[in-house]
Amino acid sequence: MDAIFLQILNGLDKGGAYALIALGLTLVFGTLGVVNFAHGALFMLGAFCAVTLQKILTISQKVRDESITFFEAYKEQPYLEIWFGDFGTKIIDWSVPISILLAIPIMLLIGLAMERGLIRHFYKRPHADQILVTFGLAIVLQEIIRSFFGANPIPTPAPDIVAGSAQIGVLLGLGESVVYPWWRIIYLLFSGLVIFLVFAFLQFTTFGMVVRAGMHDRETVGLLGIDVEHKFTIVFGIGAVVAGLAGVMYAPILPPDYHMGMDFLVLSFVVVVVGGMGSLGGAVAAGFLLGLLQSFASMNEIKAILPGIDQIIIYLVAVVIILVRPRGLMGRKGVMED
Amino acid sequence: MSIVLSIKNVDKTFGGLQALGDINLDIEEGKTHAIIGPNGAGKSTLLNCCIGRLIPDNGTVEFNGKNMIGMQPHDINHAGMVRVFQTPEIFPELTVLQNVLIPGFAKRDGIFKFNAFTSLASEKDIEADAMHILEDMGLIDQIHNSAGSMSRGDKRRLELAMGLVQHPTLLLLDEPTAGMARHDTNRTIDLLKTIKERGMTKIIIEHDMHVVFSLADTISVLAQGRIIATGTPDEIRGNPKVQEAYLGGAEL
Amino acid sequence: MSMPSLRNDWVVMAIFAAAVLTAPIWLSPVGAGYPDLLQKFAIFGLFAIGFNILFGLTGYLSFGHAVFLGVGSYTAVWSFKLLTMNVLPAIALSILVAGIFAVVIGYLSLRRSGIYFSILTLAFAQMSYNLAYSVLTPITNGETGLQLTMQDARIFDEPTTSGLPSTELFGMSMSGYSGFYFCAVLLIIGFFISLRIFRSPFGLKLLAIKSNQTRMRYTGFNTKPYLLAAFIISGMYAGLAGSLMAVTDPLAGAERMQWTASGEVVLMTILGGVGTLIGPLLGAGIIKYFENIFSALNPGELHQIFSWLPDWLENIVVAISSEFVGDGWHMTLGLSFMLVVIFLPGGVIEGVGRAYTKIRTLLKSDEANESDESVLEPEPVLSAEKE
Ligand SMILES: Nc1ncnc2c1ncn2[C@@H]1O[C@H](COP(=O)(O)OP(=O)(O)OP(=O)(O)O)[C@@H](O)[C@H]1O
Ligand SMILES: [Mg+2]
């Protein structure tokens, strides 16, 4: 029972991440009709926003290490600590949450620049060309990051206060053994929040209405004299921000390295396809569904029956969905269907 | 006279719209049967039901005594019923000649043949046949151009050439002269007359009454998915019901 | 005229064969005339030529072709372990097994087209890759990779006494130049088959499917078996390439099946020119050549190269260019790839073609026109056309 509960939690938490990454991808596909293979790189850039801020905040000066008395020892002490004492230490400790504030404008800018500079010239080109050029861009972006930050994963811890595990078993009356890392619970809540915000934005603002109408029937909206192109540029920016935020918050879970984007790219495409290309609700549903399936497939009881199933479950689901129901769980009929 | 194609009780609805209602039609061997009617009457839909692009809700389409409903488009093609499309469905990236070779290969190779190691250069028979038809269509000086870059009228003639090269038993022509200049239209009429003398059965959909009355042995009038009259050109010309439905009373 | 003449094909083949067999000579001035690199050209050339039969002729973009490469390698190493160090059975078996994989994966993936096809092939590749690392360890030897050992059965070979045996063809060792010439002969055969396919009715029908598949159905073709045949052929080419990797170095690892490896062959094909005969081979050669040169360069050597510049400028140039060499080679690759897709969708071949016509028009203005077509002039590049 406890094990099952933990698996569900684990699945939801994984699913939150999947859904969040796929959300931006499907948004961009649904509105712009562009297959963006650089989406994983946006996720990676988000994670490196957190790394960068942490690096900036911990820029240090060499100072005498007072704790060592028998010879002259030096240690690195961040300026922030020197200037602000304990408050400075706190800020460094909270660098990941703070970098959310940094990531939003940065990712928005990157997104807008990408759409303006590259993607918009590919609207009319075949999907194969879009895949190829964004694939090239993804390689370039990840190499830039590698040349700045090196090839090794960079630990980017969460604030101390949430570094440990939550006694959720005690909270829910399931026994002391049921514990779960705080940060992953926070990630789940965070992804829920971002998903909610994106939906609310599309549902309740005029901007969102136009975008939704444009997703449905671009031509007509264009004919009404509404500047769809311009709005879609912003949509791309939003997609980039969402991917970036997913990345920022993921940094404490998986120390970022330059190729994390590529690793998540395939996965996020699978989520999008299972949900239905261009369907936001589908992406969220598919994200959680695949998260749960992945989590259960990793249970030893299941693996004993179907060895290796945990390795392929996600792809297996994708294959079955595409073959049986190519429009995905919630996709509109006819979107790239055959 | 034997019946080549027999359409019986065919119905087709799209959503709530009845595109075809209880269509019954017999096409006699060697004859040219024209189907006319206002835009949206269901003419193209009827052809789609014949060649397997659409499956009617009801009824049968018998070709040479065999029901075609549910058969794959490529099997229907090989049974001998070939369609020339209303909006050109050519291979835009291939050359004009290649566009005509393809249906030629279909006729000879069947639905699949792995002839990967014979050279195109050795396919003299099919090339000669294609060149012959392109000559007839007046496209001979364009054979090396890419088909996508041709004018609309030329694309229509290419469409026709692609149908003719398969030497079908029954050729379904969907507005073969739409978008053609007068000169080319007359030329196409002459060509279709020659083909008729060779005994090919045709269904032809046309808006151009000049074309219809020069070619047709029988005319059926379709309006709002129903056949309201079938008869010889003279009978149709004088039929008040047809004038009412088709031209709102004006003289044909 | 309209149809490439048979004689023309033989001329092309003769030139091609001569060029490949003399490659050690004419590639040595650019520092590529040694067997290891030449072998790579041939192997990746075969991979790309095969990939092009699928992507170039039918327009179906597979993102999982590395599976067949991996399968080919594993099969070849198993053949070396169980049967014999002779390379012929290894190659035959690899092509066969890769073909069988291609039948299964192709049959399922070709039920869809466009991006769905790409994702299906990608999903199958990822499944194979993940399984090769996990539960299939008994067959693949997991992360270590499959290697030869002294305990291998090798039922057709004499037991060896001194060290691990090496691959051979009836006593001829497959290392050094003999290894290259073996790969070269297979490359020539592979190119010849590709040429025949391109110039056959079958090839034309594939192009027509790429151009307008719906129309093909109403023209009397069942397109599925055509697509499947192209898929299987290109899978077999990949299997052959994979087995040659094992021939030149009897070792097989799962990373050969990773999706980035599938991406690489796409890059090669696009870079050279999709749908052209020689383009994919050119693309493979260019990528492998520059990978070899660029990834070996380091800042020290860059300083030497740019030593003729004034010091301050030298430092700047070296600082910038060092981002693109060594480990930064992938940056160069990604960047040049983007540039090709953006500005030269037809790849290098299109670029050469454009330059050629430009020069011709320049020359024509003063000379009387002389129209002798280059025999290697590419077939029309279909995929490059905008939708
Ligand atoms: N696939 C479809 N889905 C929905 N409605 C359709 C479809 N095909 C045709 N229709 C509708 O069915 C009706 C008949 O169309 P059809 O194309 O057969 O007319 P038509 O007689 O060929 O007209 P035209 O002379 O303009 O070619 C039209 O109202 C059309 O909108
Ligand atoms: Mg019509």
Side-chain angles (χ1 to χ4, degrees):
Chain A
M1 182 57 215
D2 291 359
I4 301 260
F5 174 76
L6 273 181
Q7 289 307 330
I8 291 178
L9 196 60
N10 190 13
L12 287 176
D13 157 40
K14 272 208 179 81
Y18 294 172
L20 208 51
I21 301 168
L23 194 64
L25 189 61
T26 207
L27 186 66
V28 165
F29 179 78
T31 46
L32 306 159
V34 169
V35 182
N36 181 13
F37 261 51
H39 192 77
L42 293 171
F43 172 76
M44 180 267 300
L45 289 180
F48 274 89
C49 282
V51 173
T52 312
L53 189 73
Q54 180 188 260
K55 291 237 156 159
I56 293 174
L57 294 181
T58 51
I59 290 176
S60 305
Q61 190 188 30
K62 270 209 170 106
V63 293
R64 268 297 306 266
D65 190 343
E66 312 285 346
S67 58
I68 297 169
T69 47
F70 49 90
F71 69 97
E72 287 217 342
Y74 290 89
K75 64 173 183 186
E76 302 253 308
Q77 191 173 19
Y79 283 107
L80 270 180
E81 274 182 34
I82 300 172
W83 297 335
F84 303 111
D86 278 355
F87 181 64
T89 320
K90 266 261 138 40
I91 290 186
I92 293 171
D93 184 31
W94 282 80
S95 72
V96 171
I98 295 171
S99 53
I100 289 176
L101 300 177
L102 179 76
I104 291 176
I106 289 184
M107 294 309 296
L108 190 64
L109 279 180
I110 292 177
L112 297 184
M114 229 167 108
E115 202 274 346
R116 281 287 153 127
L118 183 72
I119 307 284
R120 82 167 17 196
H121 307 292
F122 279 78
Y123 289 157
K124 298 245 151 57
R125 299 266 290 258
H127 285 294
D129 283 9
Q130 298 171 354
I131 292 178
L132 296 168
V133 82
T134 50
F135 183 52
L137 179 64
I139 295 176
V140 170
L141 289 176
Q142 78 172 29
E143 290 304 313
I144 291 175
I145 290 299
R146 200 181 55 101
S147 93
F148 275 101
F149 295 93
N152 296 325
I154 300 168
T156 316
D160 260 345
I161 186 165
V162 287
S165 286
Q167 300 284 333
I168 46 167
V170 181
L171 278 174
L172 299 169
L174 282 173
E176 299 229 337
S177 62
V178 183
V179 294
Y180 204 74
W182 269 117
W183 188 257
R184 305 189 62 165
I185 296 174
I186 291 171
Y187 197 97
L188 177 58
L189 298 176
F190 178 79
S191 52
L193 178 72
V194 175
I195 291 167
F196 172 78
L197 286 177
V198 170
F199 273 88
F201 178 73
L202 290 175
Q203 204 67 44
F204 300 122
T205 62
T206 356
F207 183 93
M209 259 172 56
V210 175
V211 169
R212 274 186 303 136
M215 279 172 96
H216 207 78
D217 184 355
R218 190 169 185 175
E219 235 102 279
T220 315
V221 177
L223 288 177
L224 291 175
I226 297 168
D227 180 5
V228 198
E229 298 293 311
H230 197 77
K231 297 228 159 41
F232 283 180
T233 308
I234 297 172
V235 169
F236 195 92
I238 295 173
V241 170
V242 174
L245 290 181
V248 171
M249 293 292 284
Y250 214 75
I253 298 176
L254 182 81
D257 58 21
Y258 70 103
H259 58 72
M260 74 190 292
M262 288 290 187
D263 301 342
F264 275 86
L265 174 67
V266 178
L267 193 89
S268 50
F269 261 100
V270 167
V271 175
V272 167
V273 167
V274 169
M277 302 275 303
S279 159
L280 295 173
V284 174
F288 283 106
L289 175 74
L290 290 175
L292 285 169
L293 285 175
Q294 171 74 73
S295 171
F296 280 103
S298 313
M299 288 174 74
N300 286 333
E301 292 84 345
I302 308 265
K303 278 200 283 192
I305 306 167
L306 294 166
I309 186 72
D310 56 319
Q311 298 290 327
I312 58 168
I313 178 77
I314 288 190
Y315 304 108
L316 209 55
V317 173
V319 167
V320 171
I321 292 272
I322 297 177
L323 289 180
V324 177
R325 195 183 154 84
R327 74 177 100 147
L329 295 177
M330 298 164 99
R332 266 186 296 128
K333 190 175 165 57
V335 176
M336 303 191 77
E337 224 174 288
D338 234 18
Chain B
M1 271 297 169
S2 64
I3 304 294
V4 177
L5 184 75
S6 172
I7 298 171
K8 294 200 180 94
N9 311 102
V10 164
D11 288 327
K12 180 76 197 174
T13 47
F14 294 116
L17 175 92
Q18 174 131 43
L20 293 176
D22 197 27
I23 301 288
N24 286 285
L25 210 59
D26 284 337
I27 312 295
E28 283 178 25
E29 191 181 339
K31 291 284 157 67
T32 300
H33 193 122
I35 298 176
I36 61 172
N39 287 111
K43 305 180 297 290
S44 298
T45 305
L46 182 61
L47 294 197
N48 281 337
C49 289
C50 293
I51 56 147
R53 194 173 217 177
L54 289 173
I55 295 180
D57 305 337
N58 259 320
T60 57
V61 174
E62 278 179 19
F63 179 63
N64 284 333
K66 197 163 167 242
N67 191 3
M68 296 281 121
I69 303 292
M71 271 172 69
Q72 290 288 327
H74 48 80
D75 291 327
I76 295 178
N77 176 288
H78 285 289
M81 179 157 44
V82 170
R83 158 135 189 220
V84 172
F85 288 83
Q86 180 173 2
T87 43
E89 283 260 358
I90 51 172
F91 304 108
E93 289 91 354
L94 303 191
T95 67
V96 172
L97 175 59
Q98 286 173 334
N99 264 271
V100 186
L101 290 178
I102 290 288
F105 285 134
K107 179 80 179 170
R108 188 199 61 189
D109 294 349
I111 56 170
F112 176 73
K113 185 172 178 199
F114 184 71
N115 41 5
F117 299 108
T118 44
S119 171
L120 273 176
S122 63
E123 301 284 7
K124 295 284 181 236
D125 295 349
I126 288 182
E127 188 185 3
D129 199 20
M131 295 291 275
H132 185 75
I133 282 166
L134 285 166
E135 177 104 58
D136 283 350
M137 299 303 309
L139 292 171
I140 199 74
D141 44 347
Q142 296 195 47
I143 52 170
H144 297 304
N145 298 358
S146 91
S149 64
M150 292 199 299
S151 73
R152 202 172 124 71
D154 287 349
K155 279 185 189 157
R156 305 229 33 119
R157 283 193 284 165
L158 177 58
E159 264 287 339
L160 192 53
M162 290 165 75
L164 289 176
V165 81
Q166 294 199 313
H167 305 290
T169 331
L170 173 63
L171 187 63
L172 312 178
L173 298 151
D174 200 344
E175 303 194 20
T177 65
M180 273 190 203
R182 190 80 250 171
H183 165 80
D184 288 332
T185 304
N186 289 335
R187 189 179 180 144
T188 309
I189 292 175
D190 290 344
L191 183 82
L192 290 174
K193 274 188 184 151
T194 338
I195 295 164
K196 187 176 167 182
E197 279 154 25
R198 288 188 217 137
M200 192 189 290
T201 317
K202 296 192 292 294
I203 296 180
I204 178 165
I205 291 176
E206 250 317 330
H207 283 297
D208 186 333
M209 289 305 140
H210 172 62
V211 178
V212 172
F213 287 106
S214 340
L215 288 172
D217 300 305
T218 320
I219 299 176
S220 292
V221 185
L222 202 61
Q224 289 166 355
R226 293 185 181 272
I227 292 184
I228 57 169
T230 297
T232 63
D234 287 337
E235 286 165 8
I236 295 298
R237 219 192 287 263
N239 188 331
K241 232 166 92 189
V242 174
Q243 292 178 8
E244 177 67 29
Y246 197 82
L247 292 169
E251 275 299 306
L252 275 177
Chain C
M1 259 303 280
S2 66
M3 314 228 193
S5 76
L6 274 172
R7 217 194 60 207
N8 226 343
D9 286 2
W10 291 111
V11 175
V12 173
M13 275 320 297
I15 295 174
F16 181 81
V20 170
L21 294 175
T22 55
I25 302 167
W26 58 267
L27 278 177
S28 54
V30 290
Y34 57 98
D36 274 7
L37 187 57
L38 291 168
Q39 269 167 5
K40 263 194 192 156
F41 290 168
I43 293 172
F44 282 92
L46 275 168
F47 190 18
I49 286 174
F51 182 77
N52 188 45
I53 290 175
L54 179 69
F55 184 41
L57 289 179
T58 72
Y60 276 67
L61 173 57
S62 160
F63 242 87
H65 247 52
V67 174
F68 309 120
L69 199 70
V71 166
S73 286
Y74 282 127
T75 310
V77 176
W78 272 114
S79 164
F80 297 142
K81 284 168 85 72
L82 297 179
L83 305 176
T84 165
M85 290 308 289
N86 190 317
V87 295
L88 288 185
I91 286 174
L93 283 172
S94 296
I95 296 176
L96 182 72
V97 176
I100 293 170
F101 268 72
V103 171
V104 177
I105 294 180
Y107 179 78
L108 290 170
S109 303
L110 286 166
R111 302 176 78 94
R112 298 281 169 255
S113 65
I115 175 124
Y116 288 113
F117 171 80
S118 301
I119 302 256
L120 279 173
T121 48
L122 183 54
F124 283 116
Q126 288 295 97
M127 280 195 252
S128 314
Y129 171 69
N130 287 355
L131 288 178
Y133 262 130
S134 55
V135 284
L136 294 183
T137 306
I139 301 172
T140 62
N141 204 20
E143 279 181 45
T144 327
L146 193 61
Q147 290 164 344
L148 301 181
T149 64
M150 292 301 287
Q151 287 77 49
D152 294 334
R154 272 188 280 283
I155 48 178
F156 295 117
D157 289 0
E158 310 279 304
T160 47
T161 42
S162 57
L164 285 173
S166 54
T167 51
E168 47 89 20
L169 177 68
F170 306 118
M172 187 168 67
S173 158
M174 283 293 110
S175 57
Y177 275 107
S178 53
F180 161 69
Y181 279 109
F182 181 67
C183 294
V185 168
L186 287 171
L187 175 65
I188 292 169
I189 297 174
F191 182 81
F192 179 67
I193 293 175
S194 157
L195 177 86
R196 294 309 300 265
I197 291 176
F198 267 66
R199 306 250 164 111
S200 71
F202 176 77
L204 183 61
K205 288 184 251 180
L206 292 180
L207 276 176
I209 290 175
K210 176 179 181 177
S211 179
N212 189 346
Q213 180 159 197
T214 321
R215 177 61 201 246
M216 280 303 268
R217 300 208 180 100
Y218 296 105
T219 308
F221 290 106
N222 187 358
T223 53
K224 283 285 138 65
Y226 281 99
L227 292 167
L228 187 58
F231 193 92
I232 296 169
I233 293 171
S234 79
M236 287 160 81
Y237 269 85
L240 169 64
S243 75
L244 289 179
M245 286 178 179
V247 164
T248 53
D249 181 13
L251 181 107
E255 73 286 342
R256 241 165 236 179
M257 297 204 259
Q258 210 177 1
W259 77 278
T260 41
S262 299
E264 193 180 15
V265 73
V266 182
L267 299 195
M268 290 171 173
T269 313
I270 301 273
L271 183 74
V274 192
T276 64
L277 265 174
I278 197 84
L281 179 63
L282 219 56
I286 292 172
I287 288 186
K288 285 295 151 194
Y289 175 67
F290 283 105
E291 175 184 79
N292 197 49
I293 301 228
F294 276 47
S295 56
L297 282 177
N298 56 40
E301 286 168 277
L302 284 176
H303 274 290
Q304 266 178 15
I305 295 174
F306 293 112
S307 57
W308 48 276
L309 288 170
D311 266 0
W312 62 274
L313 192 59
E314 179 185 327
N315 287 333
I316 296 176
V317 170
V318 169
I320 294 175
S321 53
S322 63
E323 290 299 327
F324 295 92
V325 300
D327 290 341
W329 146 248
H330 281 110
M331 174 104 81
T332 318
L333 185 65
L335 211 55
S336 44
F337 185 62
M338 280 176 74
L339 293 176
V340 166
V341 179
I342 295 171
F343 297 109
L344 209 63
V348 172
I349 289 281
E350 187 186 287
V352 172
R354 276 194 208 168
Y356 179 73
T357 27
K358 210 163 243 167
I359 292 169
R360 266 236 309 222
T361 36
L362 280 180
L363 291 180
K364 239 180 206 167
S365 50
D366 19 85
E367 264 180 64
N369 56 331
E370 220 182 321
S371 69
D372 65 344
E373 308 250 306
S374 156
V375 278
L376 283 178
E377 206 163 354
E379 306 278 296
V381 185
L382 277 170
S383 68
E385 309 256 332
K386 296 180 182 182
E387 257 180 2

